[in-house]
Amino acid sequence: MCRMALPADYHMHTPLCHHAKGEPWELAAQAVQKGLSEIGFSEHNPMIRDDWDDWHMVRDDLELYVANVEKARQDVPDLQIKLALETDYIPRHEAWVRELKEQADFDYFIGSVHYITDTFDIDNPNKKDLWTRGDINAIWEAYFERLAQAASSGLYDIIGHADLCKKFNYLPSKDPQPWYRHFLEAARDHDVAIEINTAGLRKDCQEMYPCPDLLVMAQQMGIALTFGSDAHAPNEVGSDFEGAVALARQAGYTHWRRHTKGEQEAVIL
Ligand SMILES: [Zn+2]
Ligand SMILES: [Zn+2]
């Protein structure tokens, strides 16, 4: 029986975000070892101000980022390597994201919500006190509201780790399904894909993003799918992809979506 090819790993980071290790050519070499035929780099975008926080690429490094991805393409020619950014969705930063798109020949943009206010990045371990002092239902609702805005913004091809709010296991007492649906309707209406992001398995929640309920709902609504390890080190490239493919199939998915310079193509899973 022939083994189906693994889908592309479209979510990977580099040292330019100051919290990842492994240069693009090292991650690319690891991808070949893992049996992947396509990957994409999606570094944390330069923010509107370099002092916004300490975990995004700075503006002046964007050129180096693009050059480093190009070097990976030269070094590992058998691998398809896409150039992308994981871009924070923050209301009022839309024009800045549009400006970023013009600065290189990008294949796709992942839109992620980490910040639900200008100062509360919900997945930051240093901000856990804002969870413990806050109203968990309200944080989840605000997260999905912003995720729906990101999907509706027209800025993104893919929405990253769609239920990141579960990361630390601060779980809501309310049924989250209406929040999922609200977000997914926006994704459907704007033809934005979601990703299965395996990094959740490496966090407190011990589960891929998104959870099976959200994934099944997305499949039933016809929303396209990509895959990402969210690698912050070479050994995380393609991490748990066999399990991710199994999860996608269980949810009813038969295809993943390839992104090439804004063009999309359904590929059999
Ligand atoms: Zn990161
Ligand atoms: Zn992220």
Side-chain angles (χ1 to χ4, degrees):
M1 205 172 80
C2 93
R3 191 166 153 269
M4 293 293 265
L6 289 171
D9 186 344
Y10 272 172
H11 195 144
M12 307 195 312
H13 294 280
T14 82
L16 293 176
C17 66
H18 324 288
H19 64 276
K21 54 184 187 227
E23 294 295 345
W25 48 93
E26 297 173 279
L27 275 75
Q30 179 68 17
V32 172
Q33 290 290 315
K34 282 261 180 173
L36 297 174
S37 56
E38 180 174 343
I39 60 172
F41 289 95
S42 58
E43 186 57 294
H44 296 290
N45 66 299
M47 295 296 272
I48 207 157
R49 304 188 322 262
D50 280 344
D51 64 355
W52 182 271
D53 60 25
D54 60 1
W55 57 269
H56 283 80
M57 178 197 321
V58 296
R59 287 183 184 214
D60 281 351
D61 280 345
L62 187 59
E63 228 172 291
L64 178 61
Y65 171 60
V66 174
N68 286 346
V69 171
E70 190 50 45
K71 174 169 161 49
R73 285 173 171 156
Q74 308 278 325
D75 281 13
V76 191
D78 293 340
L79 189 64
Q80 278 199 62
I81 302 180
K82 300 293 169 61
L83 176 68
L85 286 174
E86 179 184 16
T87 309
D88 273 75
Y89 177 74
I90 295 176
R92 309 179 313 281
H93 292 198
E94 288 92 343
W96 170 239
V97 174
R98 245 174 252 121
E99 212 177 298
L100 285 172
K101 285 193 170 190
E102 300 307 315
Q103 294 186 22
D105 202 2
F106 290 109
D107 288 294
Y108 58 90
F109 265 25
I110 297 177
S112 289
V113 171
H114 305 98
Y115 284 93
I116 62 163
T117 69
D118 282 3
T119 50
F120 184 15
D121 37 348
I122 59 163
D123 62 325
N124 188 334
N126 301 323
K127 306 278 179 72
K128 279 188 179 178
D129 60 314
L130 292 173
W131 276 101
T132 53
R133 282 195 275 121
D135 172 343
I136 291 171
N137 287 323
I139 295 171
W140 275 60
E141 187 167 13
Y143 171 79
F144 280 104
E145 175 55 36
R146 194 165 272 200
L147 206 63
Q149 289 173 22
S152 302
S153 69
L155 298 171
Y156 306 116
D157 304 285
I158 303 162
I159 292 291
H161 42 60
D163 60 354
L164 182 68
C165 48
K166 74 183 175 193
K167 177 178 174 181
F168 299 126
N169 281 327
Y170 296 117
L171 302 177
S173 58
K174 283 193 185 169
D175 177 7
Q177 301 247 4
W179 303 329
Y180 299 166
R181 184 166 300 280
H182 174 57
F183 155 60
L184 289 171
E185 283 170 355
R188 178 196 60 202
D189 293 350
H190 295 85
D191 194 22
V192 177
I194 61 166
E195 62 167 7
I196 295 185
N197 181 312
T198 62
L201 287 172
R202 309 191 294 272
K203 311 295 182 193
D204 294 350
C205 58
Q206 301 261 305
E207 181 184 83
M208 299 187 203
Y209 308 109
C211 66
D213 279 0
L214 198 161
L215 191 65
V216 167
M217 201 184 277
Q219 192 279 330
Q220 287 170 352
M221 291 170 71
I223 290 163
L225 186 68
T226 65
F227 290 79
S229 64
D230 215 337
H232 284 70
N235 67 321
E236 293 173 351
V237 172
S239 181
D240 297 296
F241 263 36
E242 290 82 1
V245 169
L247 185 71
R249 290 200 180 121
Q250 278 161 27
Y253 274 100
T254 56
H255 292 76
W256 62 277
R257 192 161 82 179
R258 172 173 288 140
H259 291 260
T260 312
K261 295 184 182 173
E263 300 290 311
Q264 304 160 355
E265 179 193 359
V267 183
I268 288 185
L269 202 52

